[in-house]
Amino acid sequence: MKYFIANWKSNKTINEVNDWMTTFLNLFNNKIKTYLENNDISIIIAPPYPFLMVIKEYIKTLKNVFISTQDISSFDPGSYTGEVAGNTLQNLVDFAIIGHSERRSHLKESDELLFIKEKQAFTYNIKTIYCVRNENDPFPQTSTLITYEPITAIGTGNNEDVKSVISMKTKLNIPNHIPFIYGGSVTRKNVKLYLDSGKIDGFLIGKASLDPNHFFEIISKL
Ligand code: PGA
């Protein structure tokens, strides 16, 4: 199984989301349909919160196409203005991204806080896409997917070379049953290099996922 995760970050309007979904789904050809049907690939779309339900409607009949949040509250449901609790998200979303480096740096999220978020997701049956920046970031053993996102590669156009990504996989010492995802300036031009290594189970794609044609091209390189 290969995972292709579109992380839209803080982008898009409702009209753009409708356009993206319509264009993307129209691109589905027999090859991609077969991959989805045979559990060869999973496509996960992580939009800003307001668009989750809109996208869920578009994908409701599709196998192996999922939605993810970009975060989850560390709090139980209650008086926490602006937070979105696991309890609220359960049965609505499939995944939550936890520990993205942009949240670690801009919102000062600590390992301790991120482990609490992971626990919230686990409690409410939400799978997790847990992000680490290097071997010094611990990850919970309950994570569904572990994503390696070197900060030098995120949003910079400087994707990390395949050898270094694979060597980080070894350093992270990820249990065999947890898929290893790479994120950081993955594009339709460089994705094949990672795929060909046979050691990377998927990609967290930011900028290149904002265009449905580019995102589809990335998936089609499989
Ligand atoms: P990028 O973002 O593809 O724009 O580098 C990756 C990510 O941060 O998820």
Side-chain angles (χ1 to χ4, degrees):
M1 173 71 83
K2 291 271 185 276
Y3 298 84
F4 295 90
I5 309 161
N7 177 14
W8 290 352
K9 309 189 180 182
S10 189
N11 289 293
K12 297 208 180 289
T13 63
I14 183 65
N15 287 343
E16 287 167 352
V17 170
N18 282 313
D19 285 349
W20 194 101
M21 287 309 301
T22 313
T23 308
F24 185 62
L25 297 179
N26 277 335
L27 290 167
F28 278 31
N29 50 27
N30 284 340
K31 175 175 146 180
I32 298 297
K33 284 182 193 158
T34 310
Y35 280 163
L36 288 169
E37 213 39 53
N38 293 345
N39 302 323
D40 292 327
I41 60 171
S42 276
I43 297 172
I44 305 170
I45 304 170
Y49 282 118
F51 306 134
L52 285 163
M53 299 319 295
V54 178
I55 296 171
K56 195 176 166 80
E57 192 57 28
Y58 277 102
I59 63 170
K60 67 181 178 197
T61 59
L62 296 169
K63 189 176 169 193
N64 285 318
V65 184
F66 303 105
I67 47 173
S68 173
T69 59
Q70 298 173 13
D71 185 34
I72 184 170
S73 178
S74 59
F75 296 108
D76 286 327
S79 302
Y80 301 101
T81 304
E83 289 290 291
V84 184
N87 177 54
T88 304
L89 297 169
Q90 69 174 330
N91 302 323
L92 295 180
V93 304
D94 308 290
F95 289 85
I97 297 175
I98 295 178
H100 192 283
S101 70
E102 286 156 6
R103 296 196 63 86
R104 289 176 188 262
S105 61
H106 299 308
L107 296 146
K108 308 279 174 272
E109 293 193 340
S110 65
D111 293 328
E112 192 189 4
L113 178 82
L114 298 173
F115 271 57
I116 298 172
K117 291 187 174 202
E118 171 76 25
K119 208 163 162 217
Q120 284 289 334
F122 188 79
T123 303
Y124 293 104
N125 273 322
I126 297 162
K127 300 188 186 85
T128 55
I129 302 165
Y130 197 94
C131 303
V132 296
R133 297 163 297 182
N134 53 50
E135 72 273 35
N136 299 320
D137 287 341
F139 57 84
Q141 297 291 316
T142 50
S143 309
T144 315
L145 309 173
I146 303 287
T147 304
Y148 167 47
E149 295 219 310
I151 13 185
T152 51
I154 297 172
T156 59
N158 297 319
N159 59 300
E160 186 158 288
D161 65 275
V162 183
K163 248 176 110 179
S164 311
V165 173
I166 293 168
S167 118
M168 183 55 70
K169 181 182 178 185
T170 311
K171 282 191 205 152
L172 285 167
N173 201 13
I174 298 171
N176 278 339
H177 68 276
I178 306 183
F180 173 73
I181 309 298
Y182 168 69
S185 298
V186 173
T187 65
R188 56 202 165 140
K189 301 229 167 77
N190 60 34
V191 70
K192 189 104 178 60
L193 293 170
Y194 300 100
L195 283 169
D196 286 350
S197 77
K199 298 225 154 55
I200 297 164
D201 302 307
F203 307 95
L204 183 53
I205 303 151
K207 199 155 176 249
S209 75
L210 294 175
D211 182 324
N213 294 291
H214 289 196
F215 187 53
F216 187 82
E217 259 193 72
I218 289 174
I219 301 168
S220 300
K221 298 290 181 193
L222 189 64

